[in-house]
Every structure is written in structure tokens, then in C-alpha cells.
Amino acid sequence: MNNISTIQDKIVSSDLTILAALKKMDEVKAKLLFVFDGDVFDCLLTIGDIQRAIIRNVALTESISTILDRQKVYAKPTDSIDDIREVMFRENFDCMPIVNDRGQIVDILYWADVFQQSPVDSRKKLDLPVVIMAGGKGTRLKPLTNVLPKPLIPVGEKTILEVIMDQFEEIGCRKFYMSVNYKSDMMRFYIDQLEHHYDIEFFEEPKPLGTIGSVSLLKGKITTPFFVTNCDSINEQDYRDVYDYHCDNHNDMTLVTMVKSFKIPYGVIETGEDGLMVDLKEKPEQTYMVNTGVYILNPELIDEIPEGEFFHITDLMTKIRQRNGRVGCFPVSEHAWRDMGEWREYLKMIKVL
């Protein structure tokens, strides 16, 4: 068995920038890359390595060589299949490079090669409530939302609401609270007809209350950290990673943010006094962290949401920061998040699924 040919599009140089590596992962639809220093295998770079670097505020222009975890364990040609199997199961590795004494990869073992089955999710399941904000009118998707509420818009063979709930159920989250208003009767009827039973408790906004205001109606119902998600985007991130980050950093709130880069197609000139040119940057690239509409909130934050008032999630962030609380940001790559808030993005989404 020799799987080396399967990694050719995932090989990168150790002098690649972090941003370029993130884009490469999106391009090849992979969550790890094989880093080489010349002809010698250096290390595996995972999406987790990049996310931890961004959280540490490492510049995306830095080389990936500065963030590699060289403590990762790789197999040797002399290792038995039982030893390799034990390491892969313990570390939950999807693949294991076999590296000889000269630093050359002589083979790649994938999970199916070793276990003769699909990868097993050995991580602990979460049992946290999920609040779905599903009361909006979806005005940017008219005329489709004149007929259907946005959560019932199809993406593939399911509605986006089902896709979102299925993702949370996969990691152990079973209890859903759904904030509804626009066409709520249609949503209740549709969910009642599904073969799969979701544990959903609906709560209705008496009037539009903003992006988080209706959560004040849940006072006394939620006593653990909980997820809040919009109903117009899909995120490929395993939210257990977000929860681990939230707990490890003692955050009051954690946002899932997307790394979005824009390349300006012109030479950008910086000027100083008297209009004199100070600097010229040819087609610079700007990178931003964009809010994806998925959050983890500590339960006590519900008490900080005013009852019956229009209140946005950004207002809650401001309140937390004003009292020196912690609002953390967990980054995902650009193509790990797909939005359908407007027609152009919706059309992109259904082409992907």
C-alpha cells in the first residue's frame, strides 16, 4: 500500500505565510497540509494550528514555520500496525505519515487503511442548549421569503434549519429553543411533519426585538453555557473546539469569526504632509475577522438582556466589554462558512451542497 500520491496537492513549503496556508486548505478542501523544508518532511500543519495562532494574535503574514507543532508524533517504517493504530485512535488522527530516518515520507496510512472503517468520533459529546434566532423576515431573499420563512429555504435535500440542527445534534446538542415570529405557524407545521424528531421549544417575539432581544424570554430556562445561532448560514467547524476555547479562556461570550481577505486591485499610495508620497503598496491584501452569527453565551448574560426592548447582540458585546468582561473570537477559514443572507450568497451555497 502506498498513498503518497494522495498528498501531492497538500504539500507546501515551510516559508508559506499563514494566510496563504489557510487559503490552500480551502482550495484543496483539507484541514491539514504536509509541510516540507526542501525535500525533507518537516511537519503536519492542521487547521487547529492556524486557529490557535490567530487566537494568539500571530500576524497572518508570518511564516507557518513559526507556528508548527513539531511535537507531533509520526510513525516509523519499523512501527507495527498495532502501535500505529493505537496512536491514531488515541490522537484521533485521520492519517499517519510513515517517515524514515532521512526525513522522507515513505507512505501514508489513512484511518480506513488501519481500522477498515470510517473514522470514529471519539471526542466527548456536548449536551448544551442551542438557541436558534429564526424570527426574521428574510427581506434580502425576497420574493422567495414572501412564500417561505428563511429557515425553511432548501439547501440540498433539507432546509437550512435542518442542516443547522443536524450539525449540533452530531456533537451531542439535543435541546433547541427557537425564537420565531414571521410565518411561525408554517415552521411549526413543517417541523411537526418531519420523520426525524427534534426537541424544540418555540418562543415567540411579541414584536421585533433585535438580534438577541428575544433571548430575554428564556430567563430561568437555561442554566448552562449555550449556543446562539442565526438561521442563514452553515459552518463546517466542529463547535466543540469553540466550546473548549470558550471554557479555557474563561470568556463571557465567544463569537465564531471568519477570516476574510480582500485584495485591492490597484497600487495604494500613502501620503503625508504637503501631499508627498510616503509609501506605495502594489495590490495590497487586507484581512478582517467577520462575524458569522454563531455564539456561545454564559447563562448569566440572559439577565443582561433587557426585557421587551429592541436589543442587538452587538449591544450585549458592548455591555460585556464596558464591565471588563471577556468577548472571545474563534476563527474559521473563509470557505468553512457559507452564508445565504442574500441572493448571490444563497446561489453560491446551493451550488456547493
Side-chain angles (χ1 to χ4, degrees):
M1 178 185 305
N2 195 307
N3 292 314
I4 294 179
S5 62
T6 65
I7 70 168
Q8 293 307 309
D9 61 344
K10 303 178 185 69
I11 293 176
V12 297
S13 171
S14 57
D15 60 2
L16 195 70
T17 67
I18 297 172
L19 181 59
L22 194 60
K23 289 183 176 181
K24 180 69 173 178
M25 287 182 181
D26 280 343
E27 176 190 332
V28 299
K29 295 180 173 58
K31 294 186 177 181
L32 62 82
L33 298 173
F34 294 78
V35 183
F36 277 72
D37 185 2
D39 295 330
V40 178
F41 174 66
D42 188 347
C43 194
L44 283 180
L45 175 73
T46 68
I47 185 63
D49 295 328
I50 293 179
Q51 288 169 325
R52 286 185 288 272
I54 294 173
I55 290 169
R56 296 197 310 270
N57 207 29
V58 177
L60 294 178
T61 53
E62 286 286 324
S63 163
I64 59 174
S65 64
T66 63
I67 67 167
L68 294 175
D69 178 8
R70 293 187 171 86
Q71 301 303 311
K72 288 187 174 77
V73 177
Y74 307 113
K76 301 175 182 177
T78 55
D79 289 343
S80 71
I81 192 68
D82 288 337
D83 290 339
I84 294 172
R85 183 183 294 113
E86 191 275 328
V87 173
M88 290 183 70
F89 186 82
R90 184 183 69 238
E91 303 295 337
N92 201 27
F93 286 168
D94 289 334
C95 73
M96 175 66 80
I98 312 297
V99 185
N100 65 21
D101 292 338
R102 297 189 297 278
Q104 299 169 323
I105 295 181
V106 297
D107 201 356
I108 306 285
L109 290 182
Y110 290 95
W111 185 281
D113 299 328
V114 176
F115 294 95
Q116 304 299 313
Q117 61 184 16
S118 299
V120 175
D121 185 359
S122 60
R123 295 184 64 179
K124 183 179 179 180
K125 300 289 187 180
L126 293 182
D127 185 15
L128 298 180
V130 180
V131 177
I132 301 176
M133 308 303 291
K137 293 185 176 182
T139 53
R140 292 179 296 168
L141 282 175
K142 286 188 173 184
L144 190 56
T145 48
N146 287 338
V147 179
L148 291 173
K150 186 165 59 174
L152 297 190
I153 291 177
V155 287
E157 297 182 357
K158 298 181 180 181
T159 63
I160 190 166
L161 176 60
E162 292 167 87
V163 172
I164 291 170
M165 290 193 292
D166 287 349
Q167 182 182 9
F168 279 106
E169 283 198 341
E170 284 176 6
I171 62 170
C173 298
R174 300 286 177 178
K175 180 63 177 180
F176 297 96
Y177 296 90
M178 189 177 301
S179 175
V180 294
N181 181 273
Y182 180 67
K183 295 185 180 294
S184 62
D185 289 346
M186 186 180 293
M187 279 190 280
R188 294 173 195 263
F189 177 80
Y190 178 83
I191 290 170
D192 283 344
Q193 307 309 306
L194 292 175
E195 183 177 341
H196 178 82
H197 176 69
Y198 296 99
D199 183 0
I200 301 176
E201 184 173 328
F202 294 93
F203 61 106
E204 189 129 7
E205 295 178 90
K207 60 181 181 180
L209 295 175
T211 53
I212 199 67
S214 65
V215 174
S216 65
L217 300 171
L218 296 176
K219 288 180 180 177
K221 288 180 175 285
I222 296 179
T223 58
T224 65
F226 61 100
F227 289 96
V228 175
T229 178
N230 290 346
C231 210
D232 56 9
S233 62
I234 300 171
N235 203 320
E236 295 176 359
Q237 177 64 48
D238 187 327
Y239 290 131
R240 287 173 291 190
D241 297 331
V242 185
Y243 180 67
D244 289 343
Y245 162 72
H246 177 82
C247 295
D248 292 345
N249 288 272
H250 308 288
N251 294 340
D252 295 280
M253 176 194 294
T254 295
L255 295 73
V256 178
T257 56
M258 183 258 287
V259 180
K260 178 72 174 177
S261 60
F262 299 90
K263 193 162 190 175
I264 300 174
Y266 310 103
V268 175
I269 297 172
E270 181 182 344
T271 60
E273 190 174 351
D274 297 327
L276 296 177
M277 187 175 75
V278 176
D279 195 12
L280 168 63
K281 295 179 180 177
E282 189 62 34
K283 298 180 181 178
E285 191 166 20
Q286 300 291 329
T287 304
Y288 300 94
M289 302 289 277
V290 178
N291 186 359
T292 68
V294 181
Y295 317 89
I296 297 178
L297 276 64
N298 285 344
E300 55 269 19
L301 292 183
I302 298 177
D303 293 327
E304 298 192 36
I305 301 172
E307 295 184 28
E309 295 183 20
F310 191 88
F311 197 72
H312 277 320
I313 190 75
T314 49
D315 299 323
L316 183 57
M317 294 174 197
T318 299
K319 286 185 71 172
I320 296 170
R321 296 185 67 213
Q322 284 177 341
R323 61 170 170 75
N324 295 318
R326 296 175 65 87
V327 179
C329 297
F330 186 94
V332 299
S333 71
E334 185 169 345
H335 289 277
W337 179 65
R338 299 193 297 278
D339 175 49
M340 68 165 213
E342 54 188 39
W343 272 108
R344 180 186 300 176
E345 298 303 321
Y346 174 61
L347 293 174
K348 286 181 185 178
M349 178 185 286
I350 60 178
K351 287 180 181 178
V352 171
L353 292 175

